[in-house]
Amino acid sequence: MGSVRPPAWRRAAVVAALMLAAFTFNTTENLPVGLLSLMAADLRVPLAAVGVLVTGYGLTVAVVSLPVAHVTRSVPRRHLLAGLLGLLSVASWVSALGGVTYGLLLASRLATALAQALFWAVMGPVAVGLFPPERRGRIIGLLSVGGSLATLLGVPAGTWLGTHGGWREPFVVLGALAVVSLVVIAVLLPTSRPQESHSAYGAAPDRRRFTVVLATTALSVTGAFAGFTYVAVFLEDVTGFAAGSVSAVLMAFGAAGLAGVTVTGPLLDRFPRGTLAVPVAAQAAALLGLYTGAHSEVAVVALLMLLGASVGPVFMATQSQILRVAPGRTESALAANSAAFNVGVAAGALLGGALLPAIGARGAFLAGGLLTLAALAVLTWPTPASTPLPEAGPGHARPRTGTP
């Protein structure tokens, strides 16, 4: 990733490998949701203990993202990514061991979470650094498609495989997919110092805008997950869907999410602010609409698809904006955004759970909509013009002055 770029086929192969890795990490993170009962019965633990495998994973990503990004900031990205994918593969196969205990399974999940925290911080700068600066948004869009496919294909396919072949089988497959990504990256990604790439620094550093984007991420994700965490309860108990049709509705949500990131990705470079503000506004409309139209099956399906089409683009657009306005090294800035996202997931789930006994699943969507409106207000609130930090290239330190 120095001054001479690799051939086009080589760059494309690396981006494809990173997309596969994003798909594998996201599927691994959420797979226990689909296998909850099977895992609990086999491991002889309560359902809540299997739930910890998901919540503990997200909290680990939130806590360690910034520290590990800082510690590894000088490690060549080819070596670092190969190590992270190797850890993902080994941890997945440990999870699939026949006699694995709950404690060992939890430890392997936390190791995978550690790898994912760092992967999301460095994946974007690595991929973007292979291409001209004006293509940053489109590359981030492609990586987001890989991550979104985990919801639409990865978790449903893993759930089906686990139901028919045992819950360990999907983890064997995920470990193999990680090895495929590892081999491609180890062979084709050039070795260079991270700071040599144009993607190591923000294109237009701005501390004020950076803070606004982080706040938008935290508030919007908290809002989305305050309601969506309990969407199955909402669909069955409030709207009146049969239990067997909930999965079809969720597949429509996932398909809309994939369509949203696919359409938005090519627009990120041309409309950097609009591609964030519009999805946040759409998310607020969807959440509030689900509260007001909760008893209409047609309206609920349409609004859940609108929610799916906005949630993915919101995070994708914040990642693209962070690459643009990062006041220092982009991997640290992206780690901060990833931490904000995972804090939002945990906070949203806790908020929705606390509200559930008092105002029900419908009220949780109302709370989520109001939080998303707060995110939109933060994002669009007029502020005094901030002075962008001067550009910094390889080998140049950024000044640390300016308004936070």
Side-chain angles (χ1 to χ4, degrees):
M1 291 180 293
S3 58
V4 179
R5 293 193 181 94
W9 69 266
R10 189 170 171 179
R11 287 180 280 153
V14 170
V15 170
L18 290 171
M19 291 174 67
L20 177 61
F23 169 85
T24 306
F25 268 116
N26 279 9
T27 301
T28 302
E29 178 177 7
N30 295 296
L31 185 58
V33 173
L35 301 173
L36 202 68
S37 299
L38 289 174
M39 295 177 72
D42 185 62
L43 295 168
R44 298 180 181 178
V45 297
L47 288 174
V50 181
V52 170
L53 298 177
V54 178
T55 56
Y57 192 111
L59 289 174
T60 300
V61 173
V63 170
V64 306
S65 289
L66 270 171
V68 296
H70 181 76
V71 168
T72 60
R73 62 186 306 179
S74 299
V75 179
R77 282 355 192 183
R78 181 164 73 97
H79 302 155
L80 182 60
L81 283 169
L84 296 177
L85 290 166
L87 179 56
L88 170 60
S89 180
V90 170
S92 297
W93 288 335
V94 167
S95 300
L97 291 174
V100 68
T101 63
Y102 176 80
L104 185 56
L105 181 60
L106 179 60
S108 70
R109 293 281 297 173
L110 295 182
T112 306
L114 175 64
Q116 179 164 332
L118 191 49
F119 174 79
W120 282 109
V122 303
M123 172 185 67
V126 165
V128 165
L130 295 169
F131 297 85
E134 61 271 15
R135 296 183 64 183
R136 286 187 174 199
R138 276 174 283 182
I139 300 304
I140 291 295
L142 285 173
L143 299 177
S144 297
V145 169
S148 298
L149 282 171
T151 303
L152 183 60
L153 295 177
V155 174
T159 302
W160 181 89
L161 181 60
T163 302
H164 290 81
W167 66 265
R168 291 174 175 81
E169 295 300 318
F171 289 99
V172 175
V173 175
L174 290 169
L177 292 178
V179 170
V180 173
S181 297
L182 188 161
V183 170
V184 173
I185 288 169
V187 172
L188 298 180
L189 182 65
T191 301
S192 62
R193 294 183 300 170
Q195 61 269 33
E196 292 177 352
S197 171
H198 68 80
S199 63
Y201 303 96
D206 186 332
R207 282 197 180 95
R208 184 187 296 278
R209 186 65 182 175
F210 173 69
T211 303
V212 166
V213 174
L214 285 185
T216 300
T217 297
L219 285 169
S220 65
V221 173
T222 302
F225 280 86
F228 189 73
T229 302
Y230 305 96
V231 67
V233 176
F234 174 83
L235 290 173
E236 294 179 24
D237 296 351
V238 180
T239 308
F241 279 97
S245 57
V246 169
S247 59
V249 176
L250 294 181
M251 284 190 68
F253 171 88
L258 179 61
V261 297
T262 302
V263 170
T264 305
L267 303 175
L268 291 172
D269 294 311
R270 294 176 59 194
F271 309 105
R273 298 206 177 198
T275 46
L276 178 54
V278 170
V280 171
Q283 177 181 307
L287 290 167
L288 295 173
L290 285 164
Y291 171 74
T292 58
H295 299 294
S296 168
E297 292 187 358
V298 173
V300 164
V301 172
L303 289 165
L304 276 175
M305 291 181 71
L306 176 62
L307 182 63
S310 56
V311 169
V314 167
F315 184 62
M316 177 178 65
T318 61
Q319 292 287 86
S320 181
Q321 286 250 341
I322 291 293
L323 275 172
R324 181 177 180 82
V325 303
R329 287 281 292 272
T330 51
E331 71 270 15
S332 295
L334 288 169
N337 198 47
S338 178
F341 179 90
N342 283 279
V343 166
V345 171
L350 289 172
L351 174 63
L355 293 175
L356 211 57
I359 57 178
R362 185 181 174 209
F365 277 93
L366 172 62
L370 294 176
L371 279 168
T372 307
L373 283 179
L376 185 62
V378 168
L379 183 62
T380 57
W381 191 267
T383 58
S386 57
T387 304
L389 296 174
E391 294 287 339
H396 294 80
R398 289 197 185 282
R400 296 185 179 272
T401 57
T403 306

